[in-house]
Amino acid sequence: MTLDELLAIARQLEQDGLAEIERAGDAPALESVRAGLLGRKSGRLNDVMKALPALGSDDRRVAGAEVNRVKGALESALEARKGALAPRAAGPRIDPTMPARRQWRGSRHPVTLVIDEIVAIFRELGFTVALGPEAEHEWYNFGALNFPPDHPAMDAHDTLYLGEGALLRTHTSPVQVRALQRHPPPVRILVPGNVYRRDVFDPSHAPMFAQLEGLAVDENVTFADLKATLTRFATRFFGAAKTRFRPSYFPFTEPSAELDIACQVCGGTGCAVCKQTGWVEILGCGMVHPRVLESAGLDAERYTGWAFGMGPARVAVNRYRLPNIRLLYDSDVRFLEQFAR
Ligand code: PHE
């Protein structure tokens, strides 16, 4: 065999060998490829090496170097293929160069935050939290609260009736009567809860919304207590914001009023939230009507009281200077997660 022939055989072996290594589909197949190429007895490279002694010494050196190079190339290809075929380590494979996934943080809804904060302020004044049912008797929702039988709010247009004298409460005021029936005065309670009205969803109305009711009943309670307590609450909650009471009407309070605060979104200069008036109504209030006290079985000559009903969503709009009340109902996580603490 001439040197050229031997070199040609060695290079052919290299080419064929690399292709066989690449084709080996699993570890046993790769092992038999290795034995066929480099095995001590039957390896094809061995056959080539056996031809070396027959060459002249110069040719032998050239051929020997080439055979070694081919051997090295095949060995490293075998090693690489072995790594590629190695079974993956058990458990998840971790790529430490991946950026970490952002932590998901839940948060309280802004309306809940507002309710909690208001409850905390009134708690300092001796108020505790009371709850009542959302599915309510007509009598508690209307009759006990001195609504005349023909009052427009009792119309099916505003109220979601459940049948058999039951309805979804349209306000939290029925809990006034429930609380007074169960606990003799002095009573000082706050009632957070959802209420329902047959309104279509628009920028300023929702068919379900939260209310926060307040009630204080005792001997010698006067309108001065109402005014002092609610003014103190407003300054505690809104800081130095200006407030004003306006006369109003509710069947279950007499006299009745509404409490406005200077719009916190525009600072009182006029914007879409305050409908350009500079003022935002945050609650209705008044002295509990004697007929309501009597509905609950109390002596209206002995006891007097005051009550208020607030819309915490409205308050949240002002507290957080939200451009639109709908943000509170859209459940957009990008908005809500800003309230995570
Ligand atoms: N219940 C009234 C409403 O839904 C609010 C209110 C409560 C007014 C208590 C006076 C006293 O609008």
Side-chain angles (χ1 to χ4, degrees), residues 170-173 176 197 211 213-214 250 252-253 284-286 307-309:
T170 59
H171 52 177
T172 43
S173 299
Q176 290 187 25
R197 294 189 191 171
Q211 274 200 340
E213 189 91 5
F250 300 100
F252 38 94
T253 48
C285 59
F308 71 86

Side-chain angles (χ1 to χ4, degrees), residues 119-249:
V119 165
I121 292 173
F122 277 92
R123 188 164 280 152
E124 292 172 7
L125 302 172
F127 285 73
T128 54
V129 170
L131 299 174
E134 294 183 14
E136 184 55 281
H137 293 285
E138 246 174 281
W139 184 77
Y140 280 105
N141 197 83
F142 294 126
L145 293 172
N146 192 39
F147 278 74
D150 56 351
H151 195 278
M154 297 170 66
D155 211 315
H157 186 78
D158 297 307
T159 306
L160 292 154
Y161 284 95
L162 301 174
E164 295 176 45
L167 46 71
L168 292 178
R169 67 180 177 192
T170 59
H171 52 177
T172 43
S173 299
V175 189
Q176 290 187 25
V177 179
R178 288 183 173 276
L180 291 173
Q181 283 178 329
R182 288 176 64 168
H183 308 286
V187 163
R188 279 193 287 274
I189 53 165
L190 281 188
V191 185
N194 290 327
V195 304
Y196 301 82
R197 294 189 191 171
R198 255 178 85 151
D199 278 327
V200 268
F201 221 126
D202 74 21
S204 54
H205 293 88
M208 185 203 80
F209 56 97
Q211 274 200 340
L212 184 60
E213 189 91 5
L215 173 72
V217 175
D218 200 353
E219 292 177 11
N220 303 316
V221 171
T222 70
F223 197 87
D225 297 308
L226 176 158
K227 233 187 139 176
T229 311
L230 292 180
T231 305
R232 181 184 158 85
F233 153 71
T235 15
R236 271 297 300 277
F237 189 81
F238 290 107
K242 278 192 290 182
T243 55
R244 72 175 184 190
F245 285 87
R246 275 181 298 109
S248 185
Y249 172 79

Side-chain angles (χ1 to χ4, degrees), residues 44-185:
R44 278 132 74 196
L45 196 69
N46 243 4
D47 294 344
V48 181
M49 269 147 71
K50 278 180 197 149
L52 287 177
L55 295 173
S57 69
D58 285 351
D59 287 353
R60 197 159 62 224
R61 211 177 323 111
V62 175
E66 180 63 7
V67 168
N68 273 336
R69 191 193 61 74
V70 170
K71 189 177 179 205
L74 292 175
E75 278 171 344
S76 50
L78 281 162
E79 203 51 44
R81 187 68 186 147
K82 191 172 158 193
L85 291 176
R88 312 212 157 213
R93 298 231 304 164
I94 293 165
D95 177 355
T97 66
M98 288 272 285
R101 198 179 299 158
R102 208 162 54 105
Q103 283 281 316
W104 176 264
R105 293 181 69 205
S107 64
R108 293 209 178 156
H109 192 275
V111 169
T112 306
L113 290 174
V114 161
I115 291 173
D116 289 351
E117 205 177 319
I118 296 172
V119 165
I121 292 173
F122 277 92
R123 188 164 280 152
E124 292 172 7
L125 302 172
F127 285 73
T128 54
V129 170
L131 299 174
E134 294 183 14
E136 184 55 281
H137 293 285
E138 246 174 281
W139 184 77
Y140 280 105
N141 197 83
F142 294 126
L145 293 172
N146 192 39
F147 278 74
D150 56 351
H151 195 278
M154 297 170 66
D155 211 315
H157 186 78
D158 297 307
T159 306
L160 292 154
Y161 284 95
L162 301 174
E164 295 176 45
L167 46 71
L168 292 178
R169 67 180 177 192
T170 59
H171 52 177
T172 43
S173 299
V175 189
Q176 290 187 25
V177 179
R178 288 183 173 276
L180 291 173
Q181 283 178 329
R182 288 176 64 168
H183 308 286

